[in-house]
Amino acid sequence: MAACRASVHHDVVPSGTTDIRKALTMTNALRVADVQKVYGGKRGSTTRALDGVSFDVDRGEFVAIMGPSGSGKTTLLNCIATIDRPTSGVVSVGGVDVTKMRSRDLAKFRREQLGFVFQDSNLLDTLTCRENVALPLSIARVPVPQIDQRIEAMARALGVSEVLDKFPYQVSGGQKQRVAACRAMVGNPTLVLADEPTGALDSKNSKLLLERFDALNKQLNSTIIMVTHDSFAASYCQRVLFIRDGRIFTELRHGNQSRKEFFSQIMGVVATIGGGMDDAL
């Protein structure tokens, strides 16, 4: 088993580190402090999507964010991903406040430190699936032989080897989402941010994707933050943060209990929150 893990590590971990990655060995992976996000102008009505959200995520933690529709969970993920800027508050990655980064630094941060799995996959239809997965490695100037090895290893793990040379419009929605997950994880990013990653998958492929997230988290100590409405998906995480009306409602920790027991706990909170949460297996 140890030899197998060493092989996986060699396949997916790029050489070299960055200042942020070094900082992660000494600090929390993520700190969100009193983050607020208000939409609207002075003349019109305003919407407070986030209302003083604060929490820390340890390096190597696998965290789910859950909440009813309109609770602010996707807005929170976008602020962490630097896709959106909070109105106030701090989002700190490895001790670096990303809300104060310049545009050039943000682009480099997104490219080198973040892996994204979007709800609708966001693959480029003009590229093959293989070329889509290769993009972050090509931009990072990883040698071509290593690119091929990493793509093949990740594609095998997620069961999409047979579609690598097809275009996204030639494969199913579930396959596209798994290819998108390959692209997000192939470069071993500091943070993997996933927005409803199992939404387009059947139960078998959802389980496969979640198990790969779990393996990435445990073997490579990667930090994964996943927004989901699915209690089954959340049960794979070490911790679940629940958001309601733009605030942290409560949190659950997996601890030493079984995944089935953790799932039951999650279902209990989901039933309490209500508001359009899908709590079916």
Side-chain angles (χ1 to χ4, degrees):
M1 179 61 71
C4 178
R5 288 193 175 189
S7 175
V8 172
H9 189 279
H10 176 76
D11 283 341
V12 300
V13 179
S15 60
T17 57
T18 65
D19 290 340
I20 290 179
R21 181 161 300 203
K22 289 177 182 177
L24 284 170
T25 65
M26 299 177 287
T27 67
N28 293 325
L30 173 71
R31 170 160 289 179
V32 176
D34 196 25
V35 166
Q36 301 192 38
K37 181 62 181 179
V38 179
Y39 294 101
K42 296 180 180 179
R43 298 181 180 179
S45 60
T46 60
T47 299
R48 191 173 295 274
L50 297 174
D51 190 10
V53 174
S54 297
F55 64 93
D56 293 343
V57 175
D58 290 337
R59 183 174 61 91
E61 198 172 6
F62 188 2
V63 176
I65 299 173
M66 300 188 75
S69 297
S71 62
K73 58 186 184 294
T74 298
T75 300
L76 175 59
L77 190 72
N78 287 342
C79 288
I80 295 169
T82 72
I83 294 171
D84 203 354
R85 285 187 183 270
T87 305
S88 62
V90 173
V91 177
S92 177
V93 177
V96 179
D97 184 357
V98 299
T99 66
K100 295 179 180 178
M101 278 186 176
R102 296 173 299 179
S103 296
R104 181 177 179 179
D105 294 331
L106 278 175
K108 186 174 187 292
F109 169 77
R110 293 184 189 117
R111 184 172 65 247
E112 296 183 357
Q113 303 300 329
L114 300 181
F116 296 92
V117 183
F118 296 96
Q119 189 171 5
D120 58 356
S121 78
N122 270 15
L123 298 177
L124 299 175
D125 280 334
T126 55
L127 300 179
T128 65
C129 293
R130 184 187 301 276
E131 290 166 339
N132 269 279
V133 177
L135 267 178
L137 300 179
S138 298
I139 293 171
R141 298 183 180 181
V142 174
V144 172
Q146 291 186 31
I147 290 177
D148 293 338
Q149 290 174 6
R150 292 183 191 175
I151 291 173
E152 293 294 340
M154 195 61 69
R156 285 195 302 271
L158 285 166
V160 290
S161 298
E162 73 280 5
V163 304
L164 282 177
D165 296 314
K166 295 183 179 181
F167 289 92
Y169 58 81
Q170 295 175 313
V171 305
S172 70
Q175 288 170 325
K176 282 196 289 188
Q177 190 69 337
R178 281 184 284 153
V179 170
C182 282
R183 181 180 62 185
M185 293 187 285
V186 74
N188 187 36
T190 299
L191 293 176
V192 175
L193 303 174
D195 187 3
E196 303 285 4
T198 62
L201 305 182
D202 59 26
S203 58
K204 178 181 177 181
N205 289 319
S206 292
K207 188 172 185 290
L208 179 65
L209 178 60
L210 292 164
E211 286 175 347
R212 183 54 199 161
F213 275 157
D214 186 54
L216 179 73
N217 169 251
K218 290 178 179 176
Q219 295 175 8
L220 304 182
N221 206 33
S222 298
T223 307
I224 304 172
I225 300 173
M226 175 176 66
V227 164
T228 183
H229 67 277
D230 185 356
S231 300
F232 175 77
S235 70
Y236 277 82
C237 299
Q238 297 162 1
R239 180 162 56 120
V240 183
L241 297 171
F242 295 89
I243 295 183
R244 185 170 70 175
D245 300 327
R247 299 180 178 181
I248 299 293
F249 176 75
T250 191
E251 71 170 54
L252 294 176
R253 291 182 181 270
H254 195 298
N256 294 323
Q257 62 190 319
S258 69
R259 192 170 62 80
K260 183 177 180 180
E261 291 170 332
F262 191 42
F263 172 77
S264 296
Q265 275 196 314
I266 295 168
M267 291 278 282
V269 176
V270 166
T272 300
I273 292 179
M277 294 282 290
D278 181 359
D279 50 355
L281 264 173

